Amino acid sequence: MGKFVIKQTPTGYNFHLKAGNGETIGTSEVYTTLAACRNGVESVIKNAANANVEDQTVENYEVCKHPKFEIYEDKAGEFRFRLKATNGEPILASEGYTTKAGCKNGVESVVKNSADATVEEAE
């Protein structure tokens, strides 16, 4: 079972979604308030299960409706994904993966681990 870990940063709060093995699957933006950060967690839980997958690494890819996971290649040649909510705002971003297959596994892990994840606030 996954868990969301909310942490205070110098400029606000963010959260990490961690898999059952403790590995970080995705990270949020920094929110100005704890309440907004908690809303971000709820948004991931709500949107991940229904999100389409848009593979932006293929030519003439089909643009999907929000919510969606966008798979893309960064400037370093690594594959990443970001989850965008119904309103188009990014709510979770991944680390870089060396393969597209690894990135797709990361997307599946978000869906699986966010559904019944616990939420904890780090000190």
Side-chain angles (χ1 to χ4, degrees):
M1 179 164 67
K3 71 177 171 183
F4 289 94
V5 179
I6 296 174
K7 291 187 174 180
Q8 188 165 9
T9 72
T11 56
Y13 297 86
N14 74 350
F15 63 84
H16 301 274
L17 173 59
K18 296 186 177 273
N21 64 3
E23 289 291 312
T24 297
I25 310 166
T27 303
S28 74
E29 64 183 2
V30 175
Y31 295 90
T32 54
T33 66
L34 181 57
C37 189
R38 286 187 183 130
N39 286 342
V41 168
E42 291 302 319
S43 187
V44 170
I45 293 168
K46 184 177 108 189
N47 288 286
N50 305 316
N52 298 299
V53 177
E54 181 178 286
D55 186 350
Q56 298 178 350
T57 67
V58 296
E59 213 173 310
N60 301 318
Y61 64 87
E62 182 180 339
V63 176
C64 298
K65 286 183 359 182
H66 294 100
K68 66 182 172 182
F69 286 96
E70 294 175 341
I71 294 176
Y72 64 99
E73 195 171 347
D74 67 16
K75 290 179 182 154
E78 291 189 315
F79 295 92
R80 295 177 178 268
F81 67 81
R82 61 187 154 237
L83 174 60
K84 289 193 169 180
T86 308
N87 63 3
E89 288 295 313
I91 49 177
L92 191 72
S94 75
E95 63 185 8
Y97 293 87
T98 54
T99 65
K100 192 190 315 187
C103 187
K104 287 181 175 180
N105 286 342
V107 167
E108 291 172 14
S109 188
V110 170
V111 174
K112 183 177 106 184
N113 285 285
S114 65
D116 57 358
T118 58
V119 179
E120 73 178 44
E121 293 175 25
E123 296 298 317

